[in-house]
Structures are given as C-alpha cells and as structure tokens.
Amino acid sequence: MSAVVRAERTPAARRLSPDRRYLPVIGTLVVFGLMLAIGGVRYDNFLSPGVMSNLFINNAHLIVLAVGMTFVILTGGIDLSVGAVLALSSVITATLLQAGWSLGTVVPIAILAGSVLGAGMGIMIQYFDVQPFVATLAGMFLARGLCFLFAPESVPIRDESFVSLSSWSLSLGGWRVTGAVVIALAAVAAAWWILHRTRFGRTVYAVGGGEQSALLMGLRVERTKVLVYVISGTCAGLAGVLFAMFSRSGYALTGVAMELDAIAAVVIGGTLLIGGTGFVLGSIIGVMVLGLIQTIITFEGTLSSWWTKIVIGALLLVFVVLQRILTLRRT
C-alpha cells in the first residue's frame, strides 16, 4: 500500500520540485537580493535609481563579454582572449577615428577584428585539436601584441559623432540609460533568442551536454564549436567599442584580466564549467553581482579595492563547489 502511495505522489513531487538546471541561477538571485537588502539597510541612497543605473552603465562592456563567454562555456570551452580582444577593438576604434575615418566604417572594422580572431581560435580548436586554453591563450598574446603595434600610447577620441553617441542618455524618473546600455541589452536579447529559439542554440547545449552524443544525433558539432568562438570574439569586439565609448580613448593595456571577470560572472550566473547547462540571463545577473560588490566597497569607503577580488574569489569558489555537487548528483 505504501509503495502505491509513494508512486502516486511521485509525479506531484516532481512538479513541485525545481529543475536542477535552475538551482545555480536561483542561488545567484538569492545572493543578489541579499546584497541589495544589506546595502539598502547599511547605506543611504544605496537603492536609489542613480546607483542602480550606474550598475549597468559601468558594466555595459562586461555584460557583452559575459554574453559571448556564455556561448563558449556552454560548449565546455573557455576563452582567455576576450580582454585582449576588447583592448584591440578599442585601440582600432580610437586610432582610425583619429586618422579621420567615419564612425560608420570604424565600428564594423573594430567588431570584425574580434570576429576574425575568434574564427581563427575556433578553427585551431576544432580542426587542429588544440586545447581551448592554449588556443585562446595564443589569441590573447596575439591581440595584445597587435594593440601595441597600433598604438603604444593611449589614444584620445575627439571625433564629434563618436562623442555624441557616447554622450547620449535617456533619463526616466531618476533612472538613466546610455547608448552603451541599450546596445548591451540588445546583445543580451539577441543571445537569448539564439540560445532558446534556434537550432544553433539547441546544438550549443547538446555539444556541452555530450559531444559524442551530439555527433550521433547528426548535429553539426564542428560548425557549432567554431561559431561559438566567432560569437565570443564578436562580442569582445563590440565590448571594445562600448569601452571606448565609456573611456573615450583607446589604450593597449585596457582589459587586462577582464577575461577572468567575464568567466567569474558566467560561473556565478549559473553556467556549468563542464558545459551543457546555463542561461545568458544568469550571466547578466552574475555581472550585476560583481558590480554590486564594487559598489558596496565604494560605499563603505574604508576598505581597499582588493576586497573586491577577495569577495569575488570566495563567491566563485562557493558556486564552483555547488556546481560540482549538482554535477555529481546528475551523474
């Protein structure tokens, strides 16, 4: 009798229990909510629209980097080059604008540079069987070296059209939205649509869940693995343009270790490092968590900026352990 009761309860229990895929994202939301609550209680004006708007304004470039990194990590890969590619894109933007090129020509070239580098690394990984760590490390050194070839010193941007674009903002009841934020959110929306509404997106998840299984299902694994690095490089190129809008300059040493911030945001946002599970919206929440840590430390005023790295490291360790537990239970 008890066995029958248990069998009857099982479907209902399954409906009520949350999907394990969402547990890391739920954990990130809980952490984000707790940080907002603590900051709101401890500091005046912490939850003001201006402070919350600055979370997006100051991290628009990192949001786009995290979008591209999500695609790569979903397939079980890694991309260490995005910080250097961001710097290269910003340097190309500044250098060409200083030389008198039009904004409509410069921006596509800067983004295309990231796409080409991403394609090269994807081809190395897929067709020459180079480990993603090694291939993207080589791409990082290549991009950083090209930065110094273009401009060994910081290059200011004084082009009127670019300055006008970077200065554009919209204020709504204390909230402020800039052009860079609009572009970043558009990239998020496009990534969400690609991952959840297209065959390519489903293939990305399938490759991360098991490459051999994806091959047996007849999915285009080779093309998918190359394209995710193209997407990551494209996002890094776009992020470089957004960072140039933020700083109105191009500098070869921009974005040093920014790839680590992007990886941390994606992992904290719930994407498994082994691939197959994760959500681009979770990665954006991860970026917000990183930005909120910096904001809290700024409001505190007595803490060193290195506490940002300490707290991020502790959070990252917690989420990696959580991922490991979930992976073992799934296995």
Side-chain angles (χ1 to χ4, degrees), residues 9-45:
R9 289 177 179 175
T10 300
R14 287 178 179 174
R15 286 194 296 270
L16 291 173
S17 62
D19 193 322
R20 290 179 183 174
R21 294 176 301 169
Y22 299 107
L23 290 179
V25 180
I26 293 171
T28 306
L29 280 171
V30 170
V31 170
F32 185 63
L34 286 174
M35 292 173 69
L36 286 175
I38 293 170
V41 170
R42 186 173 176 83
Y43 311 110
D44 294 334
N45 299 320

Side-chain angles (χ1 to χ4, degrees), residues 21 60 69 84-85 89 95 144 165 203 224 266 268 276 303 309 313:
R21 294 176 301 169
M69 189 67 72
V85 173
S89 175
T95 303
R144 191 67 69 180
L165 176 62
T203 305
T224 300
V266 173
I268 290 173
L303 297 175
K309 303 298 183 184

Side-chain angles (χ1 to χ4, degrees), residues 5-329:
V5 172
R6 282 197 299 270
E8 291 175 350
R9 289 177 179 175
T10 300
R14 287 178 179 174
R15 286 194 296 270
L16 291 173
S17 62
D19 193 322
R20 290 179 183 174
R21 294 176 301 169
Y22 299 107
L23 290 179
V25 180
I26 293 171
T28 306
L29 280 171
V30 170
V31 170
F32 185 63
L34 286 174
M35 292 173 69
L36 286 175
I38 293 170
V41 170
R42 186 173 176 83
Y43 311 110
D44 294 334
N45 299 320
F46 184 83
L47 298 178
S48 65
V51 173
M52 294 298 104
S53 296
N54 282 335
L55 274 179
F56 288 91
I57 294 171
N58 296 335
N59 294 288
H61 58 281
L62 186 56
I63 288 174
V64 177
L65 280 187
V67 166
M69 189 67 72
T70 303
F71 278 86
V72 171
I73 294 182
L74 278 174
T75 62
I78 200 77
D79 190 350
L80 300 179
S81 69
V82 294
V85 173
L86 177 147
L88 177 61
S89 175
S90 69
V91 166
I92 290 174
T93 301
T95 303
L96 295 183
L97 286 175
Q98 189 183 64
W101 291 44
S102 68
L103 180 63
T105 303
V106 169
V107 171
I109 291 175
I111 296 174
L112 183 62
S115 304
V116 171
L117 284 170
M121 290 180 289
I123 290 170
M124 287 175 61
I125 292 166
Q126 177 58 38
Y127 296 105
F128 293 91
D129 203 24
V130 178
Q131 289 295 319
F133 182 92
V134 176
T136 57
L137 184 65
M140 180 184 74
F141 286 126
L142 174 61
R144 191 67 69 180
L146 290 173
C147 287
F148 285 96
L149 271 182
F150 274 99
E153 303 293 336
S154 179
V155 180
I157 299 176
R158 299 188 178 92
D159 180 82
E160 292 183 2
S161 56
F162 191 86
V163 171
S164 176
L165 176 62
S166 60
S167 301
W168 182 89
S169 65
L170 179 65
S171 297
L172 298 169
W175 293 86
R176 181 165 164 260
V177 178
T178 64
V181 172
V182 172
I183 294 170
L185 294 180
V188 172
W192 179 88
W193 183 81
I194 290 171
L195 282 175
H196 299 287
R197 292 291 183 269
T198 67
R199 171 182 278 186
F200 171 75
R202 291 189 290 271
T203 305
V204 168
Y205 280 102
V207 171
E211 186 174 332
Q212 292 302 317
S213 298
L215 284 169
L216 291 174
M217 288 189 290
L219 300 177
R220 304 185 68 175
V221 173
E222 295 85 357
R223 187 187 70 167
T224 300
K225 289 182 68 176
V226 173
L227 282 179
V228 294
Y229 287 94
V230 174
I231 290 172
S232 181
T234 302
C235 287
L238 177 59
V241 175
L242 298 185
F243 194 84
M245 291 171 61
F246 179 76
S247 63
R248 293 188 188 176
S249 65
Y251 185 38
L253 290 178
T254 296
V256 173
M258 201 174 285
E259 61 277 356
L260 303 181
D261 291 333
I263 294 170
V266 173
V267 174
I268 290 173
T271 300
L272 297 185
L273 283 170
I274 61 172
T277 300
F279 307 95
V280 68
L281 296 181
S283 299
I284 308 314
I285 299 171
V287 173
M288 294 297 101
V289 168
L290 300 189
L292 206 56
I293 292 171
Q294 181 64 59
T295 302
I296 289 174
I297 289 173
T298 301
F299 267 83
E300 189 66 31
T302 59
L303 297 175
S304 166
S305 61
W306 286 108
W307 275 99
T308 304
K309 303 298 183 184
I310 294 171
V311 176
I312 291 173
L315 268 179
L316 190 59
L317 180 62
V318 169
F319 276 89
V320 168
V321 171
L322 176 61
Q323 287 188 7
R324 182 61 177 165
I325 293 172
L326 292 175
T327 302
L328 289 174
R329 290 183 67 182

